[in-house]
Amino acid sequence: MHSDIIVIMDPIESIKISKDTTFAMLLEGQRRGHRLFYVYPGGLSLRDGSAKAKAAPLSVQDIPGDWFKLKHPRELTLGREHTVLMRKDPPIDAEYLHDTHILSVAQRAGAQIVNDPQGLRDFNEKLAAQLFPECCPPTLISRSISDLRAFVAEQNEVVLKPLDGMGGRSIFRSYGNDPNLNVILETLTVNGHQLALAQRYIPEIVQGDKRILLIDGVPVEYCLARIPQGNEFRGNLAAGGRGEGRPLTERDRWIAAQVGPEMQRRGMRFVGLDVIGDYLTEINVTSPTCVRELDAQFGLNIAGRLFDILNVTPAAS
């Protein structure tokens, strides 16, 4: 049961293997003797009520420039023998949501889907943090430019961002007297037609935006602090931040204890929490990263812990 690992990800030829968490999962699955299959972009479909995937047998190796090999693709009917790693990056657009509906059909046929497709539909990564307001800084999510402007004036210094971004894209730091504030709000809300998030600026960002990983609701004992460089206020690695591993603080563990049980209940087996200072800012459920960095710094095998709780067993030879 659940012997084959099916991966849905962004194009495998474009990843950076030294930083790619999906690649760490694939290496671990192969090490344990599982057959790996790579689903081509757009390769999910439904036929007569069955979930199908255009997928190629995949092998991986931790060698820069030569990290994967694909064989001729075949059509798979997803079911009991499959664990599907849904690891495609945002945005969560209509095509992404349609794929999660197909994965729900596969789940009903017995496939194990990581993370749960209903949870992927339910949890916008910015909005999900607001399920735990006791963990978060003052936050407003609104389409109203006037309300957002008033919030900025109230807080004086804020971070503004869209709800569907990742990697630090389209994030602004602004002030109550910022002459660019109106155009920032008009851009983020598309002139009042889309939701945007405003959050009190947390000065502790200079010490790092911490990524805490949860496996079935339980935190890994170390986090990766992504520290802004130079004049940059964003700590995201994609925006040039430097990653530094640290043990979890008591407050980090408290936040994880508030969030973890609900993530476990909803089938979110692998989750990344973003914490700045004492505050939760995001809950990442689509494709959390930082495994390779933490493994390298502390001699961990985080993907191995994930596979242990998934209880996948290779098929007999």
Side-chain angles (χ1 to χ4, degrees):
M1 178 182 241
H2 301 143
S3 58
D4 292 343
I5 306 299
I6 316 295
V7 65
I8 301 167
M9 61 188 292
D10 292 305
I12 193 169
E13 65 271 14
S14 65
I15 66 174
K16 296 180 180 179
I17 64 172
S18 63
K19 299 179 177 294
D20 197 274
T21 290
T22 307
F23 187 69
M25 295 176 181
L26 293 172
L27 286 171
E28 180 64 17
Q30 182 173 271
R31 187 187 70 79
R32 293 185 177 217
H34 297 288
R35 295 188 301 179
L36 307 180
F37 291 88
Y38 170 78
V39 177
Y40 283 89
L44 293 180
S45 61
L46 280 175
R47 174 67 186 269
D48 299 329
S50 294
K52 306 284 186 177
K54 180 185 177 184
L58 167 69
S59 60
V60 291
Q61 53 187 2
D62 202 357
I63 299 176
D66 186 26
W67 60 85
F68 74 99
K69 288 182 172 61
L70 294 172
K71 294 183 179 179
H72 189 73
R74 64 185 75 167
E75 184 179 75
L76 303 177
T77 300
L78 300 178
R80 296 180 69 251
E81 67 271 27
H82 300 127
T83 289
V84 180
L85 304 177
M86 180 52 161
R87 294 280 305 169
K88 189 176 181 303
D89 286 342
I92 309 302
D93 56 14
E95 289 304 306
Y96 185 100
L97 293 174
H98 296 160
D99 280 347
T100 68
H101 285 289
I102 294 173
L103 292 176
S104 287
V105 174
Q107 188 179 55
R108 289 195 292 273
Q112 179 173 220
I113 314 296
V114 183
N115 283 318
D116 184 88
Q118 181 66 55
L120 292 176
R121 292 193 290 275
D122 287 348
F123 284 120
N124 174 280
E125 302 189 331
K126 312 294 190 298
L127 292 170
Q130 296 305 304
L131 296 173
F132 309 93
E134 70 278 12
C135 301
C136 299
T139 303
L140 173 65
I141 298 169
S142 178
R143 296 179 179 88
S144 169
I145 291 174
S146 61
D147 288 352
L148 289 164
R149 191 186 302 113
F151 180 84
V152 176
E154 173 191 302
Q155 299 298 324
N156 187 46
E157 190 171 3
V158 301
V159 169
L160 301 161
K161 51 189 171 181
L163 294 186
D164 62 353
M166 63 164 290
R169 290 196 295 268
S170 300
I171 296 179
F172 298 88
R173 179 180 172 186
S174 188
Y175 309 81
N177 60 354
D178 183 352
N180 293 309
L181 180 58
N182 281 342
V183 72
I184 291 171
L185 295 177
E186 289 166 5
T187 300
L188 288 177
T189 66
V190 190
N191 293 312
H193 291 91
Q194 290 185 10
L195 290 168
L197 180 145
Q199 200 160 66
R200 187 176 71 194
Y201 174 73
I202 306 168
E204 288 84 356
I205 184 61
V206 299
Q207 300 164 20
D209 180 354
K210 295 178 284 189
R211 166 59 53 83
I212 300 170
L213 296 174
L214 304 181
I215 298 175
D216 217 21
V218 178
V220 174
E221 63 270 28
Y222 298 95
C223 65
L224 192 75
R226 298 158 297 174
I227 303 169
Q229 300 297 293
N231 294 324
E232 179 60 72
F233 77 93
R234 298 171 299 172
N236 310 73
L237 299 181
R242 175 176 62 85
E244 178 184 295
R246 297 174 184 166
L248 299 188
T249 65
E250 284 191 22
R251 175 69 177 186
D252 294 337
R253 293 183 181 278
W254 180 83
I255 291 172
Q258 310 314 301
V259 179
E262 182 66 8
M263 296 300 104
Q264 182 188 46
R265 185 182 75 82
R266 302 239 194 155
M268 311 313 284
R269 316 301 292 277
F270 187 72
V271 171
L273 308 182
D274 288 351
V275 173
I276 302 173
D278 288 337
Y279 296 104
L280 174 69
T281 60
E282 292 187 21
I283 299 177
N284 294 270
V285 299
T286 53
S287 53
T289 60
C290 299
V291 161
R292 294 283 272 173
E293 295 89 343
L294 289 172
D295 281 355
Q297 290 188 39
F298 298 107
L300 306 176
N301 180 9
I302 296 170
R305 299 185 192 185
L306 175 65
F307 274 77
D308 285 345
I309 65 101
L310 295 179
N311 196 28
V312 287
T313 305
S317 301

